[in-house]
Amino acid sequence: MKHSPAWRIALGAAALAVLGGCSRPQPAQKQEKAKPVYFHVDTGTAGTIKGVIRFSGKKPARRVIDMDQEPECAHLHKDGKVLAEDIVVNANGTLANVFVFLKKGLEDKNFEPPTAPVVINQKGCWFEPRVLGMQTGQALKVTNSDPVTHNIHPMAKVNNEWNHSQAPEDPPLSRRFVREEVMIRVKCNVHGWMRAWVGVLPHPYFAVTGADGSFEIRNVPPGNYTLAAWQERFGSEEQALTLAPSSQQNVTFTFKGD
């Protein structure tokens, strides 16, 4: 049976349309993002790491911070002098503001960041606290309790560096660091004497020494670890330790002055 040329052309066009429909790329199906699997500590076998950071050598005199060129800041301290906090030797011969953390031993574990933020406040033209720790992904809340404008500038090298001014009436700032970084130096571009340090870790096992130079890290899973202690002028010291199930390890670090 013979077909007319017009009929053959129509038949060919229909075949091409069918083939084109078969070869047309199908829309990709959206895949749900896998939820992270977090490690949960067995509190029945977890232990504690406690210790103290000692100082040996001649106790350095703390410098007086001169705020006279900023009368608004000086007025906030009219009842006393402001002393530098880069080296604070406590009355019992220990060091304050030392960041102590587990440096090695947790690489195979993934920890959920806390929902509560850590807070750094600008008060008396000073950062409070001087040294703080936080987890990757945790919020850093920055507040200004002073009647003057400040500027917070975390000089991160691994994370993104940022720089933000904050007037007295401004609401708190909220930022996150997504990568491990020990330590991030924080400065105020308005008041050059303002300094702080932030340690960012992928786990919650860190502490900062206070007025008695001691530290305590709780709820640590048993294992082999490297414990590190960092001080902004003296650098870092490390110790290897083994934490048995449901045990307590006592550790002492000593930083030497001149």
Side-chain angles (χ1 to χ4, degrees):
M1 179 178 177
K2 294 183 178 180
H3 301 291
S4 67
W7 189 90
R8 287 197 295 269
I9 291 172
L11 183 63
L16 287 173
V18 171
L19 291 173
C22 293
S23 62
R24 186 180 299 125
Q26 300 298 312
Q29 293 183 350
K30 291 184 178 180
Q31 294 184 350
E32 292 186 4
K33 189 176 180 180
K35 294 183 179 179
V37 178
Y38 294 121
F39 174 78
H40 296 284
V41 181
D42 179 4
T43 56
T45 61
T48 301
I49 302 172
K50 298 181 68 173
V52 66
I53 310 295
R54 301 198 179 280
F55 176 79
S56 69
K58 183 180 178 181
K59 181 178 179 179
R62 293 173 63 184
R63 296 177 293 107
V64 176
I65 302 298
D66 183 7
M67 297 184 181
D68 290 342
Q69 293 182 355
E70 295 287 346
E72 289 179 309
C73 291
H75 178 75
L76 298 172
H77 298 278
K78 59 184 179 180
D79 296 331
K81 298 178 180 179
V82 181
L83 301 178
E85 294 183 338
D86 52 342
I87 303 178
V88 179
V89 181
N90 300 315
N92 61 355
T94 62
L95 282 169
N97 296 328
V98 178
F99 187 67
V100 185
F101 63 102
L102 290 181
K103 184 176 181 179
K104 295 179 182 179
L106 295 166
E107 292 78 10
D108 61 338
K109 296 176 176 61
N110 188 25
F111 294 88
E112 184 175 10
T115 56
V118 296
V119 179
I120 185 168
N121 186 26
Q122 296 156 110
K123 183 178 180 181
C125 293
W126 209 245
F127 285 126
E128 294 182 351
R130 175 78 172 197
V131 179
L132 62 90
M134 61 185 299
Q135 279 187 241
T136 51
Q138 186 178 10
L140 173 66
K141 181 180 177 182
V142 185
T143 57
N144 183 3
S145 298
D146 282 337
V148 299
T149 296
H150 286 301
N151 167 272
I152 184 163
H153 183 182
M155 302 173 68
K157 299 183 183 302
V158 178
N159 290 277
N160 291 330
E161 181 178 355
W162 50 273
N163 187 359
H164 204 295
S165 293
Q166 193 173 37
E169 67 275 7
D170 286 349
L173 301 173
S174 182
R175 296 288 188 275
R176 285 177 169 82
F177 299 107
V178 299
R179 299 179 183 87
E180 178 178 0
E181 188 166 355
V182 180
M183 302 285 288
I184 299 175
R185 179 184 173 191
V186 182
K187 70 174 184 177
C188 172
N189 293 342
V190 179
H191 307 107
W193 60 78
M194 291 177 65
R195 291 285 187 273
W197 298 87
V198 179
V200 184
L201 293 166
H203 59 73
Y205 300 112
F206 52 83
V208 179
T209 60
D212 63 354
S214 68
F215 65 89
E216 183 175 7
I217 303 176
R218 301 178 180 178
N219 208 32
V220 183
N224 298 313
Y225 298 105
T226 298
L227 183 70
W230 173 94
Q231 203 279 338
E232 63 181 276
R233 289 284 297 276
F234 300 127
S236 297
E237 298 285 344
E238 298 179 4
Q239 290 189 35
L241 63 87
T242 298
L243 186 67
S246 306
S247 68
Q248 176 178 302
Q249 276 280 3
N250 296 308
V251 180
T252 298
F253 287 97
T254 300
F255 287 93
K256 297 181 180 180
D258 297 332

